[in-house]
């Protein structure tokens, strides 16, 4: 149960904190909304309750983002959190204590972050423990804060989630400070499964430092129980990483010689200015070392053209002989997001052409990639048709391509009877007129050809013209295909949304 903190007299936290002090077993998560008054006395009261000598043993999560908390109070709170780990001796086996923390406002700054880390580091070397989840996004931290975070959490065995996004002062200097602060006696941040550095002004130099913050040169010298055993989701959106930064990040997404798999399971580089050259850098590392284990890649809004699509197709292509064991550099890649890149029909046809096609055997093309986002890629009728000819995709997004009636006309025959692999198809925002939308829906009403059954379950057509005649077709479609949900806009002039 979560205590949201909206009740009580006026905006006082007294009622919430009383329940924490009384060790209410139903209160395991505490969320103090910004509308509440969370005073210094309240912070100290909370710290006392959750400390090793305090009364509370059920609370595991504190969320108090947006509140001004003094550095002194942050240190007290951090010390209280860490004291529980110290009391239990081995925090990874403890069932009590705070494991999730989100606190402070946009002006928390270096002083606040350093004080919190100092508090968390004050107990018998249990640095950062027992925290598993720490959110310090939008806290105005710089290189000083990064040094404190590196010292506190670099060797932490419990931290799994770290969000440092929207700290624009970090920059390359901050990433260097982080790298210099982590130790080498263990693999840094070895339990981390999620790391977010979006909007932190990180460039190529910072990318190199990030790599050294996560990888030790001689991992064989590190005891096995202090090495990384989990993969990482890394989010670096809206940073000036560029093509050079993509090369610098290579050791993270390439398969390591010591393990045979990539440290990353997911990499997000949305709006990082990487262009076609950045795609080439990513592909080069994948070809040289492989990227076994990398499952998701988001390269949306990076100015990638048909040239970049050709490069991507080369690392997704199966070998000539179709041998499963020797082929695809990104051999585990199932989710590729390319929204907002001007791929055009040529690029889309090239990319989708290496995927397994409808009516062919799986070995004839890449059947590993199942989710593809081609939203706002300047996709036209030819590109849309090429994408629908794929026989291994389960999710395809083509939102916002403004392909109009011509695009819907090209897709309609390929949706006759549904689709043999697609479960989710997004055709929203394409400005098709009602006649074209109706024509596509009529094709869906046709019974499948013998030998396959449609897997289509969700079709999105919002942002295209829908009128009374289309609604009649949808009513008939519901009878023929009751397992298909069609999401669309309200017909013009209709007062209430039609319910399906």
């Amino acid at each position: 149960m979560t205590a949201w903190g909206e009740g009580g007299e006026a905006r006082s936290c007294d009622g919430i904190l009383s329940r924490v002090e009384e060790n209410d077993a139903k209160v395991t998560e505490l969320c103090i909304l910004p509308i509440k008054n969370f005073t210094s006395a309240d912070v100290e009261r909370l710290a006392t309750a959750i400390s090793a000598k305090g009364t509370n043993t059920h609370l595991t999560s504190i969320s108090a983002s947006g509140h001004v908390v003094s550095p002194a109070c942050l240190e007290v709170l951090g010390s209280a959190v860490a004291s529980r780990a110290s009391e239990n001796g081995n925090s990874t086996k403890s069932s009590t204590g705070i494991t999730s923390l989100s606190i402070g406002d946009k002006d928390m700054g270096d002083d606040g972050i350093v004080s919190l880390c100092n508090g968390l580091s004050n107990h018998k070397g249990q640095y950062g423990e027992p925290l598993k989840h720490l959110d310090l996004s939008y806290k105005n931290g710089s290189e000083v804060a990064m040094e404190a975070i590196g010292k506190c959490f670099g060797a932490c065995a419990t931290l799994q989630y770290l969000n440092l996004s929207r700290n624009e002062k970090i920059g390359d200097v901050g990433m260097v400070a982080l790298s210099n602060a982590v130790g080498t006696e263990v693999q840094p941040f070895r339990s981390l499964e999620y790391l977010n550095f979006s909007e932190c002004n990180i460039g190529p130099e910072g990318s190199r430092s990030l790599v050294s913050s996560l990888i030790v040169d001689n991992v064989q010298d590190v005891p096995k129980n202090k090495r990384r055993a989990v993969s990482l989701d890394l989010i670096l959106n809206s940073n000036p990483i560029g093509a050079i930064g993509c090369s610098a990040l290579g050791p993270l997404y390439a398969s390591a010689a010591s393990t045979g798999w990539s440290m990353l399971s997911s990499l997000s580089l949305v709006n990082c200015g990487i262009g076609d050259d950045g795609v080439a850098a990513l592909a080069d590392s994948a070809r040289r070392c492989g990227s076994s284990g990398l499952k998701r890649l988001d390269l949306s809004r990076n100015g990638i053209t048909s040239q970049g699509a050709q490069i991507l197709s080369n690392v997704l292509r199966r070998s000539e002989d179709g041998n499963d064991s020797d082929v695809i550099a990104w051999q585990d890649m199932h989710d590729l997001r390319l929204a907002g890149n001007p791929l055009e029909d040529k690029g889309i046809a090239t990319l989708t052409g290496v995927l397994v096609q409808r009516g062919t055997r799986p070995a004839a093309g890449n059947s590993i990639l199942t989710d593809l986002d081609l939203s706002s890629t300047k996709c036209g009728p030819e590109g849309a048709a090429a994408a629908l000819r794929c026989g291994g995709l389960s999710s395809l997004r083509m939102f916002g391509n403004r392909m109009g009636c011509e695009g819907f006309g090209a897709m309609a025959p390929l949706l006759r009877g549904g689709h043999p692999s697609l479960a989710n198809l997004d055709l929203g925002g394409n400005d098709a007129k009602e006649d074209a939308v109706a024509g596509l829906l009529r094709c869906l009403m046709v019974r499948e050809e013998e030998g396959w059954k449609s897997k289509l379950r969700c079709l999105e057509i919002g942002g295209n013209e829908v009128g009374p005649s289309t609604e009649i077709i949808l009513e008939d479609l519901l009878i023929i295909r009751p397992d298909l949900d069609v999401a669309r806009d309200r017909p013009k002039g209709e007062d209430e949304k039609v319910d399906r």
Side-chain angles (χ1 to χ4, degrees):
M1 178 177 179
T2 300
W4 288 96
E6 292 183 288
E9 296 180 6
R11 294 184 176 179
S12 170
C13 290
D14 180 68
I16 310 165
L17 295 177
S18 293
R19 293 181 67 185
V20 173
E21 290 168 331
E22 293 165 3
N23 202 21
D24 188 335
K26 294 182 178 180
V27 181
T28 57
E29 300 176 6
L30 178 64
C31 181
I32 303 175
L33 299 177
I35 61 171
K36 303 292 287 187
N37 292 325
F38 191 42
T39 67
S40 294
D42 291 332
V43 177
E44 293 177 358
R45 186 176 167 187
L46 176 61
T48 299
I50 65 170
S51 68
K53 297 181 180 180
T55 56
N56 189 280
T57 59
H58 291 106
L59 192 67
T60 61
S61 174
I62 298 173
S63 178
S65 286
H67 289 280
V68 177
V69 183
S70 71
C73 286
L74 286 165
E75 183 164 356
V76 169
L77 185 62
S79 182
V81 171
S83 69
R84 184 72 67 178
S86 178
E87 179 196 53
N88 284 282
N90 187 342
S91 64
T92 60
K93 295 182 180 179
S94 171
S95 60
T96 59
I98 302 301
T99 59
S100 178
L101 180 63
S102 176
I103 194 164
D105 71 333
K106 64 182 180 61
D107 296 316
M108 181 175 175
D110 292 333
D111 289 345
I113 295 173
V114 170
S115 295
L116 178 63
C117 290
N118 285 342
L120 289 165
S121 304
N122 277 340
H123 292 270
K124 299 181 182 179
Q126 301 278 354
Y127 295 104
E129 301 178 18
L131 284 182
K132 296 180 180 179
H133 183 292
L134 180 63
D135 188 343
L136 291 176
S137 59
Y138 197 36
K139 297 297 184 287
N140 200 31
S142 72
E143 68 270 17
V144 176
M146 293 301 289
E147 180 181 7
I149 290 169
K151 289 179 178 178
C152 183
F153 293 102
C156 181
T158 60
L159 192 66
Q160 299 171 357
Y161 176 106
L162 180 59
N163 189 348
L164 294 167
S165 64
R166 301 179 68 195
N167 285 291
E168 296 181 354
K169 290 184 179 180
I170 289 177
D172 289 346
V173 177
M175 301 308 293
V176 172
L178 177 69
S179 176
N180 291 337
V182 298
T184 57
E185 67 278 4
V186 302
Q187 190 162 6
F189 301 101
R190 64 186 185 275
S191 298
L192 209 58
E193 299 176 10
Y194 175 96
L195 179 59
N196 193 338
F197 273 114
S198 297
E199 298 181 52
C200 288
N201 201 28
I202 299 170
E205 183 181 356
S207 299
R208 283 188 286 271
S209 295
L210 175 60
V211 172
S212 61
S213 300
L214 296 170
I215 296 178
V216 291
D217 292 333
N218 299 310
V219 70
Q220 299 298 338
D221 296 337
V222 177
K224 289 185 178 180
N225 66 336
K226 294 185 177 181
R227 297 180 193 173
R228 171 172 289 277
V230 295
S231 56
L232 176 67
D233 291 345
L234 179 61
I235 297 92
L236 296 172
N237 300 338
S238 298
N239 283 299
I241 289 172
I244 297 175
C246 285
S247 296
L249 292 171
L252 293 182
Y253 54 77
S255 298
S258 59
T259 63
W261 48 269
S262 168
M263 176 182 291
L264 303 183
S265 59
S266 174
L267 175 61
S268 185
L269 295 171
V270 177
N271 189 35
C272 288
I274 72 171
D276 294 333
D277 289 341
V279 174
L282 292 168
D284 183 58
S285 290
R287 276 193 294 261
R288 284 187 290 107
C289 305
S291 289
S292 178
L294 184 62
K295 299 176 181 178
R296 292 174 296 278
L297 180 63
D298 194 341
L299 301 179
S300 300
R301 293 162 44 210
N302 272 298
I304 300 168
T305 69
S306 59
Q307 181 181 346
Q310 176 66 65
I311 297 168
L312 287 171
S313 71
N314 291 337
V315 288
L316 291 169
R317 186 190 307 274
R318 283 195 179 279
S319 62
E320 293 288 332
D321 58 11
N323 186 337
D324 285 346
S325 64
D326 168 61
V327 283
I328 306 171
W330 283 327
Q331 57 188 339
D332 295 314
M333 182 77 67
H334 69 75
D335 187 346
L336 180 60
R337 304 176 188 183
L338 297 169
N341 291 299
L343 304 178
E344 300 184 324
D345 282 350
K346 179 181 178 181
I348 293 168
T350 299
L351 179 65
T352 57
V354 302
L355 306 183
V356 65
Q357 302 293 295
R358 294 167 62 167
T360 63
R361 58 190 179 89
N366 182 320
S367 59
I368 298 168
L369 190 70
T370 59
D371 292 36
L372 182 60
D373 189 349
L374 298 173
S375 300
S376 302
T377 52
K378 295 188 177 181
C379 176
E382 292 181 14
L388 287 178
R389 290 191 188 101
C390 295
L393 294 176
S394 61
S395 177
L396 176 62
R397 297 199 70 215
M398 291 191 285
F399 177 87
N401 281 298
R402 311 297 180 194
M403 65 181 79
C405 297
E406 188 178 357
F408 269 56
M411 290 186 288
L414 293 164
L415 291 172
R416 185 180 178 85
H419 198 279
S421 69
L422 284 175
N424 300 290
L425 177 60
D426 186 352
L427 300 178
N430 277 295
D431 293 342
K433 299 299 183 183
E434 184 176 7
D435 287 348
V437 175
L440 186 145
L441 294 175
R442 288 192 187 97
C443 284
L444 287 171
M445 294 173 65
V446 177
R447 295 291 183 184
E448 302 97 329
E449 297 178 5
E450 187 175 348
W452 65 276
K453 184 175 178 61
S454 177
K455 293 184 179 179
L456 194 61
R457 295 295 177 268
C458 181
L459 173 66
E460 298 183 47
I461 56 172
N464 299 289
E465 190 175 90
V466 174
S469 62
T470 310
E471 288 297 324
I472 294 173
I473 296 173
L474 284 168
E475 290 176 4
D476 294 336
L477 182 61
L478 178 60
I479 296 171
I480 296 173
R481 299 195 180 280
D483 55 356
L484 175 61
D485 180 31
V486 181
R488 74 279 191 192
D489 296 332
R490 179 188 307 172
K492 291 181 179 180
E494 185 179 297
D495 293 329
E496 296 182 0
K497 186 176 181 180
V498 175
D499 221 349
R500 285 194 63 202

